[in-house]
């Protein structure tokens, strides 16, 4: 029995596979093993279902933070450089009420802790997705420590705090925005009731007689040259003047086409004349081939490949003729 | 009149010449082409004949020589003349390109199908091209038997192919407060529409024997670094959600979740988890990062709406649209797309005077549920200023709202679910710009 088969047999025995008598899709899919479930079942729910046992201190969190997190989020989670700030905008009063007052203030930019209503979310996300360039690299205790440090930065727990699976629920009860979410809206259910209503007026409908908003002058051009973002045919053009595009240097195949070679010669099969690969094969190893073929191209000839003559190409530029012959002898790649 | 025309088609008549044709005068031809006629005409009789368009008179190379063989490009690409039609980032919108958006060029698209290479992108921690032979889907939680499926397994199952739109919840999110971006690519380009092929999610849940009494929610999780997770309701899961491996007849593109993604018709794109690796049935919603810290809609009183999912009825005129320039006065086929996360589009009305008067547009077939619907309407531009708007109505009778109606309820800071009527102003120069008018 192969190693693979025996491993599978053990796994099957361990989880007591029970084939269904009336299985609809026999042979499709298999039972997950316990180890597989443990490896992937990483989500933590708001009621902390899925939260693994462990703990981490604010002090340990700070060490991990300085090494792995601060470069993006700032030493105090306040940075607005790479990502929006994590910490700020919450007060002791918010911790008491569970509603972040500054969310109603249009002048205050939203931070993570202003919005966060469930502690499980932060824990779950740090474990599954952080650090940014090495997700899932933190141990369970390290995740507790990083979350503890963030909670301390947000003035929710003291500096000597140790966060653990045993006290997550206590901390949840202090989250500044724990009461700040609502599901009372019509956008969850496909048959939900819309909160905004318009009417399909068709004639002489009431409208304001002015344009309420238009693109600010300083924003014009911010999205680049619009002439380059619209098709160059059709009923409209993009605003402005199309940018000059740098023409890509023509490939040898394109130059051969432009010179008329490919009207009679294909790369890999005979048309009127021999294929270019056949020409390359015939002259392989012949040191004088280039000079012979350049002369043939310019003067024309017949007899080598049959009776159909190759017409002369007296106007073909000499350098181009040599380049084309070189390309052909190299296999016309 | 000549000044009306901003750019004549290349190598053809200039504005004065077109004006002359439109004015019923033909003598310009003799003048305009006098040099060419003089150069080629040998007789006085020929001198009296007008010449014409060089695109007709001078046979092009493609009519005079041999073209390219079959399979010269084993995977075909668009014409080199179509290089302007690309997906693009909106400058300044995000700071990290791995957690960002590229917008579909709606201004250049036709019909309702988004070409796979132009489908909008939204990634949370970068995209991957995952080896399908190593990809697995696990279905677990409140099920009789947690199961693992390979791609081989999934692609043996009874498949469906259905056309649906996908729209990011934040589409048009930059325009809540005021006009912010110039073109329909940036206002509405987090929108695409494909035919998706895959196995109904209900089939997989049944295959694992999910708990019909307690199972109320399904968590979907991706295999990327972010392991993006979203909660969907069991009603959506059992209704029309698909575990899909194909779009528009080929396998998913890596940027769109190759080899496996969730399709949740009518629901915002963030729930269509890409690189799908796990589905978990539960009795409570999961409160993930992208439904607690992001994708929550801020109301004026500071309350956040959580689990907003459905994309309500919406439409937009794609041509003419912002940042474009009409070529001239006269006839235009005004065209756009409409869609609803609650079902079929029933009707689209178009206004040319900023919403005062409306006419009903033609809907092109097919008109499918939770799918883009193309509309067209005739318009003759008289050269005067105009404001173009479209207003969609879905089969529930819901009428697409105006931005001021949305703001009256939701304020200007909710980011998500802006389905307002879009206004495009046409200036007397033929320049089209993004405005808000209501």
């Amino acid at each position: 029995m192969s190693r693979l088969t025996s491993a599978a047999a053990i796994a099957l025995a361990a989880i007591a596979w029970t084939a269904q008598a009336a299985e609809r899709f026999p042979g499709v899919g298999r039972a997950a093993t316990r180890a597989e479930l443990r490896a992937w079942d990483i989500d933590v729910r708001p009621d902390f279902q899925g939260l693994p046992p462990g703990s981490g201190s604010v002090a340990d969190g700070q060490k991990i933070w300085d090494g792995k997190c601060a470069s993006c989020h700032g030493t105090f989670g306040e940075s607005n450089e790479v990502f929006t700030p994590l910490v700020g905008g919450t007060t002791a009063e918010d911790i008491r009420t569970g509603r972040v007052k500054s969310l109603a203030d249009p002048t205050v930019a939203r931070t993570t802790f202003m919005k966060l209503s469930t502690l499980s979310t932060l824990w779950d996300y740090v474990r599954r997705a952080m650090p940014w360039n090495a997700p899932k690299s933190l141990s369970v205790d390290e995740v507790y420590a990083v979350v503890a440090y963030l909670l301390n930065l947000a003035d929710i727990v003291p500096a000597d705090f140790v966060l653990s699976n045993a006290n997550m629920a206590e901390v949840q009860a202090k989250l500044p925005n724990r009461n700040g979410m609502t599901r009372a809206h019509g956008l969850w259910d496909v048959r939900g009731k819309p909160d905004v209503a318009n009417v399909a007026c068709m004639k002489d409908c009431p409208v304001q007689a002015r344009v309420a908003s238009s693109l600010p002058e300083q924003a014009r051009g911010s999205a680049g040259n619009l002439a380059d973002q619209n098709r160059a045919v059709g009923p409209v053009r993009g605003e402005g003047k199309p940018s000059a595009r740098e023409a890509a240097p023509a490939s040898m195949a394109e130059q051969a086409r432009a010179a008329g070679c490919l009207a009679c010669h294909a790369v890999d099969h005979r048309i009127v004349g021999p294929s270019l690969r056949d020409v390359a094969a015939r002259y392989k190893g012949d040191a004088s081939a280039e000079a012979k073929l350049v002369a043939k191209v310019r003067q024309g000839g017949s007899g080598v490949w049959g009776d159909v003559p190759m017409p002369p190409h007296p106007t073909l530029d000499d350098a181009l003729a040599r380049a084309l012959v070189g390309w052909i002898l190299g296999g016309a790649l | 009149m000549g000044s009306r025309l901003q750019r004549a088609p290349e190598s053809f008549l200039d504005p004065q010449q077109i004006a002359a044709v439109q004015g019923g005068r033909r003598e310009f031809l003799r003048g305009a082409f006098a040099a060419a006629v003089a150069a080629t005409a040998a007789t006085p009789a020929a001198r009296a004949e007008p010449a014409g368009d060089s695109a007709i008179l001078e046979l092009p190379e493609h009519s005079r020589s041999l073209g390219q063989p079959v399979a010269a490009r084993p995977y075909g690409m668009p014409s080199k003349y179509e290089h302007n039609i690309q997906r693009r980032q909106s400058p300044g919108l995000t700071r990290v390109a791995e957690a960002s958006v590229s917008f579909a060029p709606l201004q250049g698209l036709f019909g309702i199908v988004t070409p796979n290479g132009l489908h909008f992108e939204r990634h949370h921690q970068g995209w991957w091209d995952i080896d399908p032979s190593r990809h697995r889907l696990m279905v677990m939680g409140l099920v009789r038997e947690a199961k693992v499926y390979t791609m081989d397994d999934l692609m043996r199952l009874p498949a469906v192919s259905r056309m649906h739109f996908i729209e990011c919840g934040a589409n048009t999110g930059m325009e809540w407060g005021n006009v912010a971006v110039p073109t329909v690519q940036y206002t509405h380009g987090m929108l695409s529409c494909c035919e998706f092929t895959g196995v109904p999610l209900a089939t997989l849940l049944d295959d694992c024997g999910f708990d019909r009494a307690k199972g109320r929610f399904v968590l979907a999780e991706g295999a990327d670094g972010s392991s993006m997770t979203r909660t969907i309701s069991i009603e959506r899961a059992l209704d029309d959600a698909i575990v899909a491996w194909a779009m528009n007849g080929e396998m998913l593109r890596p940027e769109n979740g190759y080899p496996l993604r969730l399709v949740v018709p009518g629901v915002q794109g963030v729930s269509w988890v890409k690189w799908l690796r796990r589905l978990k049935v539960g009795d409570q919603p999961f409160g993930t990062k992208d439904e607690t810290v992001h994708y929550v809609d801020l109301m004026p009183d500071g309350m956040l709406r959580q689990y907003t999912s459905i994309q309500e009825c919406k439409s937009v005129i794609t041509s003419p649209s912002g940042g474009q320039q009409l070529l001239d006065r006269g006839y235009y086929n005004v065209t756009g797309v409409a869609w609803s996360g609650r079902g079929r589009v029933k009707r689209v009305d178009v206004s040319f005077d900023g919403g005062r008067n409306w006419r009903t547009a033609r809907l092109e077939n097919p008109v499918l549920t939770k799918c883009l619907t193309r509309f067209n309407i005739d318009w003759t531009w008289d050269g005067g200023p105009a404001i173009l708007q479209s207003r969609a109505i879905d089969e529930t009778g819901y009428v697409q709202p105006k931005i001021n109606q949305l703001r009256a309820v939701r304020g200007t800071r909710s980011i998500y679910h802006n389905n307002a009527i879009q206004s495009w102003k046409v200036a007397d120069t033929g320049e089209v710009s993004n405005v808000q008018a209501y």
Side-chain angles (χ1 to χ4, degrees), chain A residues 17-18 20 23-32 36-37 40-47 80-84 99 103-106 108 110 112 115-118 121 125 128-132 135-136 177 179-183 185-192 194-208 210-216 219-220 222-223 226-232 234-240 242 245 257 262-263 271, chain B residues 7 66-68 82-85 88 91 95-96 98-99 107-108 110 124-125 136 138 140 144-149 153 156-158 178-183 186 203 207 217 219 221 224-227 229 233 236 277-278 280 283-289 292-293 298 301-310 312 323-327 332 341-342 347 349 354-358 360 387 391 393 398-402 405 409-410 413 431 434-436 438:
Chain A
W17 172 286
T18 50
Q20 297 300 304
E23 210 179 0
R24 188 175 166 204
F25 306 117
V28 176
R30 62 164 175 84
E36 288 170 343
L37 286 166
W40 276 14
D41 187 14
I42 60 170
D43 60 278
V44 180
R45 235 164 49 167
D47 64 353
N80 197 23
E81 289 294 310
V82 183
F83 300 103
T84 46
R99 283 288 303 276
L103 279 171
D105 182 349
V108 177
R110 278 159 268 187
T112 295
K115 294 180 280 186
L116 188 72
S117 58
T118 42
T121 306
Y125 182 66
R128 73 173 56 245
M130 290 293 112
W132 176 245
K136 303 176 192 69
N177 203 42
N179 300 322
M181 294 279 178
T182 179
R183 291 186 221 165
H185 57 73
L187 294 181
W188 171 252
D189 188 339
V190 72
R191 286 171 300 275
D195 58 345
V196 179
N198 191 6
V199 290
C201 168
M202 295 300 285
K203 201 167 157 40
D204 296 325
C205 309
V207 290
Q208 293 179 4
R210 63 185 182 87
V211 166
S213 174
S214 53
L215 197 64
R220 290 189 161 234
S222 64
L226 302 183
D228 295 340
Q229 301 181 20
N230 282 271
R231 191 170 278 115
V236 296
R237 296 290 183 278
E239 202 178 288
R245 296 183 83 234
R257 179 178 303 282
L262 301 189
I271 309 178
Chain B
R7 258 201 310 287
L66 185 63
Q68 304 194 50
E82 291 295 307
H83 53 77
N84 287 353
I85 308 303
R88 293 183 173 83
R95 285 169 286 190
V96 182
E98 294 82 6
Q107 72 276 17
F110 306 100
H124 293 255
Q125 213 149 332
R136 304 287 181 268
M138 184 185 287
M140 41 89 66
R144 188 188 62 242
E145 178 181 59
K147 288 185 79 166
V148 172
Y149 300 89
D153 289 326
R156 284 168 70 181
L157 289 170
N178 51 266
V179 168
V181 288
T183 78
Y186 306 109
T203 302
D207 192 45
F217 303 91
L219 179 77
E221 179 181 82
D224 59 321
S226 76
S227 294
T229 38
S233 71
R236 292 298 88 236
R277 77 165 193 182
R278 187 165 69 103
K280 183 181 196 177
D283 58 357
Q284 293 180 22
F286 291 84
T288 72
K289 185 262 284 178
T292 303
V293 175
L298 183 60
D301 65 355
M303 188 60 91
L304 292 161
R305 285 183 176 175
Q306 195 175 23
Y307 303 113
T308 53
S309 298
I310 302 293
E312 294 184 291
Q324 294 181 335
Q325 170 75 53
L326 302 183
L327 284 187
Y332 286 87
R342 298 198 198 270
R347 195 175 100 197
D349 301 321
R356 205 175 290 279
N357 296 288
W358 298 80
T360 297
I387 293 178
R391 179 183 68 194
I393 304 172
Y398 173 87
V399 181
Q400 184 184 2
K402 307 189 217 185
Q405 294 169 329
V409 176
R410 305 185 195 166
R413 300 198 299 140
E431 205 172 286
N434 182 8
V435 299
Q436 292 183 344
Y438 40 84

Side-chain angles (χ1 to χ4, degrees), chain B residues 137 154 197-201 204 241-245 260-263 276 279:
Chain B
L137 175 68
L154 294 168
T197 297
V199 59
L201 176 51
L204 291 176
I242 304 168
V243 173
W245 51 80
L260 200 64
R261 86 173 304 168
L262 192 60
V263 168
L276 181 70
L279 295 162

Side-chain angles (χ1 to χ4, degrees), chain A residues 52-107:
Chain A
S55 66
S57 68
V58 172
D60 287 345
Q62 180 169 8
K63 281 181 219 142
I64 299 162
W65 186 267
D66 289 347
K68 297 182 174 176
C69 317
S71 60
C72 285
H73 295 292
T75 305
F76 304 104
E78 82 302 341
S79 173
N80 197 23
E81 289 294 310
V82 183
F83 300 103
T84 46
L86 302 176
V87 173
T90 60
T91 65
E93 176 68 3
D94 297 339
I95 291 174
R96 202 183 60 75
T97 62
R99 283 288 303 276
V100 170
K101 206 171 168 195
S102 63
L103 279 171
D105 182 349
T107 65

Side-chain angles (χ1 to χ4, degrees), chain A residues 257 262-266 269 271, chain B residues 61-69:
Chain A
R257 179 178 303 282
L262 301 189
C264 296
H265 302 278
H269 62 273
I271 309 178
Chain B
E61 191 198 4
H62 58 252
S63 303
R64 293 184 284 111
S65 49
L66 185 63
Q68 304 194 50

Side-chain angles (χ1 to χ4, degrees), chain B residues 207-248:
Chain B
D207 192 45
C208 296
F210 81 100
D211 186 331
R212 287 184 176 273
K214 292 197 199 122
R216 302 295 308 139
F217 303 91
V218 177
L219 179 77
E221 179 181 82
D224 59 321
S226 76
S227 294
M228 239 285 303
T229 38
R230 282 280 299 185
T231 303
I232 63 170
S233 71
I234 200 74
E235 289 80 13
R236 292 298 88 236
L238 298 180
D239 181 8
D240 51 8
I242 304 168
V243 173
W245 51 80
M247 59 196 284
N248 293 335

